[in-house]
Amino acid sequence: MSIINSMKLNIEAKSQNESFARSVVAGFYIQINPTLEQIEDLKTAVSEAVTNCIVHAYEGAQQGSIDIDCDLYADKINVVITDYGKGIDNVTKAMEPFYTTGAEGERSGMGFTVMQAFCDKVEVVSKKGLTQVTLIKKV
C-alpha cells in the first residue's frame, strides 16, 4: 500500500511541546477517518514517546530536539519519533513493564507498555545520540 500523505515536525524537547505534538499528530491522523477512540489512543502513545524524549533522552536539559515524521496510508499511520539524546543502553529491558532508570518512585516505568497497549505495533531502535520510536496505528 502506498503513502497518501506525509508530515514532518521538529520541536524543542520541552514539556510544553508534548500536548502540541500529540494534537498535531492526531489532526494529521484524522484524514483517514479513525474513530474517536483510535485518535485518543494515538494521542496517548505520542504523549508517552515525546515525554520519554524529554525526561530520559535529554534528562530535562534546556536543549535538545525531537523530530516527528508521519506517513499516512489508507488504513494506518506510521509515526516515527526521533531524539538525539543519550540513547537506551538495553532496549529489551527498557520495554519491560515497570522498568525505569529514574530514582525509585519517581517514574512508573510504563511508557513503552502504554505505547504498546494503544498502538498496533511499537518498534524501538537506539544508540548513543539517536533513538527512534515507531508507532503504528491502524484504522
Side-chain angles (χ1 to χ4, degrees), residues 34-112:
T35 66
L36 289 176
E37 182 178 358
Q38 290 167 330
I39 294 167
E40 290 304 315
D41 288 352
L42 183 62
K43 286 170 66 174
T44 300
V46 169
S47 290
E48 290 293 331
V50 170
T51 298
N52 275 355
C53 296
I54 296 164
V55 172
H56 298 293
Y58 299 115
E59 297 180 318
Q62 291 300 313
Q63 58 192 69
S65 67
I66 301 167
D67 290 331
I68 302 173
D69 297 289
C70 299
D71 289 327
L72 270 183
Y73 298 82
D75 64 343
K76 68 180 177 179
I77 186 171
N78 288 9
V79 181
V80 180
I81 299 171
T82 306
D83 71 63
Y84 306 93
K86 69 179 189 174
I88 301 170
D89 291 330
N90 185 334
V91 171
T92 302
K93 185 78 173 162
M95 293 183 79
E96 291 178 4
F98 305 111
Y99 176 80
T100 183
T101 57
E104 191 170 325
E106 181 182 315
R107 311 296 304 173
S108 70
M110 295 296 289
F112 286 123

